[in-house]
Amino acid sequence: MIIDAHSHVHDPLIDHIAQLDEAGVDKTVLFMTRPHPERARDLTELRQEMDRLHQALAGGGSLGRETARRELDAALIAYPDRFIGFASVPLDAPDIEVIVDRDVVGRGLRGIGELTPPPDQAAVIEPVLRAANDHHGLPVVVHGAAPTTAADLRTLTELARRYPRVPLVVSQLGGAHWMDAIELVRDTPNMYLELSTASIVFAVRLAIAEIPERTLFGSDAPYGDPVIARTTVERATRSPQVRELVLGATMQQLLN
């Protein structure tokens, strides 16, 4: 089974399904999203959507979160055999454990993410890891590209070691800090590295070589393309057995 470990709700959904079909992807982990760059018809509209993205990545409150939650629910109902639902949680909420119990486990979702703590404040996700631990180790996905800093990656490593039964996934190969991310994930057994939006193919090749059993194929669609992302993994992986792990078998294990 081929599983895209990182994607966001598209509008319209059928365009996403067409991309998955073209890439030969069986299922994809689906995150809620407030920006929709795929809606943009010109540069002005794209700037507006990217402004929403930058606000969200900077910890921009709950504006639009309820709409994003409804869009995710609608996608999971429309294509239950293709989408695997994960839910984000507001990191400034005082009742994280209640929210995880109600909005993740209670809705039948399979994990938590994509979390976007403000830069240099990755420590704020600890209550989420604690709640995930209480629910038998739910997978938790954290945004890895900018504005995530090298210090944030080190903080995530420290937190992962406190909650060893929680699979902690760093997305986007750690962005510009990909070498640091590979080293930190390699040395922390419950951490995983998702490979989307890598700036150079060599980064993907090296990540897979260093952590063959804990690297995950992902596209970050609509920001990335499932066809390109899968092709990159296949070009960067010599071993058929390792390629099978990266393209889906490891994610299947995380999801039981």
Side-chain angles (χ1 to χ4, degrees):
M1 182 177 293
I2 308 299
I3 302 176
D4 182 343
H6 187 131
S7 65
H8 298 272
V9 175
H10 282 43
D11 181 21
L13 288 173
I14 193 64
D15 288 354
H16 193 185
I17 295 297
Q19 290 180 18
L20 298 176
D21 288 345
E22 185 180 0
V25 173
D26 300 296
K27 296 179 182 290
T28 182
V29 171
L30 193 65
F31 303 128
M32 57 195 283
T33 182
R34 284 175 274 181
H36 279 283
E38 74 280 6
R39 291 174 179 165
R41 294 166 296 181
D42 54 36
L43 186 58
T44 299
E45 292 184 359
L46 180 59
R47 285 188 185 279
Q48 293 171 351
E49 296 296 337
M50 296 306 287
D51 283 345
R52 294 188 183 96
L53 173 64
H54 296 149
Q55 291 168 14
L57 293 177
S62 59
L63 184 64
R65 181 178 293 276
E66 182 58 27
T67 298
R69 187 188 69 79
R70 289 197 300 267
E71 289 178 347
L72 175 63
D73 286 346
L76 297 175
I77 291 170
Y79 296 98
D81 295 333
R82 303 301 295 274
F83 293 142
I84 303 164
F86 276 47
S88 184
V89 298
L91 295 174
D92 57 352
D95 53 349
I96 292 289
E97 292 187 5
V98 172
I99 292 172
V100 169
D101 186 62
R102 181 190 67 211
D103 294 344
V104 181
V105 178
R107 289 164 56 203
L109 303 183
R110 306 301 298 276
I112 303 170
E114 178 187 17
L115 301 180
T116 55
D120 291 322
Q121 297 182 45
V124 300
I125 76 161
E126 183 166 13
V128 179
L129 296 180
R130 190 181 304 121
N133 184 72
D134 291 343
H135 286 284
H136 310 290
L138 281 174
V140 175
V141 180
V142 182
H143 183 81
T148 300
T149 65
D152 285 324
L153 294 176
R154 292 192 294 272
T155 298
L156 292 174
T157 302
E158 294 167 3
L159 292 173
R161 291 170 180 168
R162 293 179 200 170
Y163 301 92
R165 73 170 177 170
V166 175
L168 179 58
V169 180
V170 175
S171 66
Q172 294 111 357
L173 223 169
H177 309 292
W178 60 270
M179 285 188 282
D180 293 334
I182 292 171
E183 290 178 341
L184 292 167
V185 171
R186 180 193 62 197
D187 298 336
T188 311
N190 61 314
M191 291 186 76
Y192 295 76
L193 195 56
E194 184 268 313
L195 301 170
S196 64
T197 62
S199 57
I200 54 176
V201 175
F202 186 75
V204 176
R205 182 179 297 119
L206 186 58
I208 293 171
E210 291 283 336
I211 329 165
E213 297 180 348
R214 288 186 286 120
T215 40
L216 304 169
F217 153 62
S219 67
D220 200 6
Y223 303 94
D225 184 288
V227 173
I228 295 172
R230 178 174 178 176
T231 301
T232 300
V233 168
E234 291 175 335
R235 292 282 293 174
T237 314
R238 295 183 183 276
S239 164
Q241 292 78 17
V242 171
R243 189 181 303 123
E244 182 178 345
L245 289 173
V246 178
L247 287 177
T250 298
M251 195 66 206
Q252 269 191 286
Q253 294 169 11
L254 287 183
L255 297 169
N256 297 317

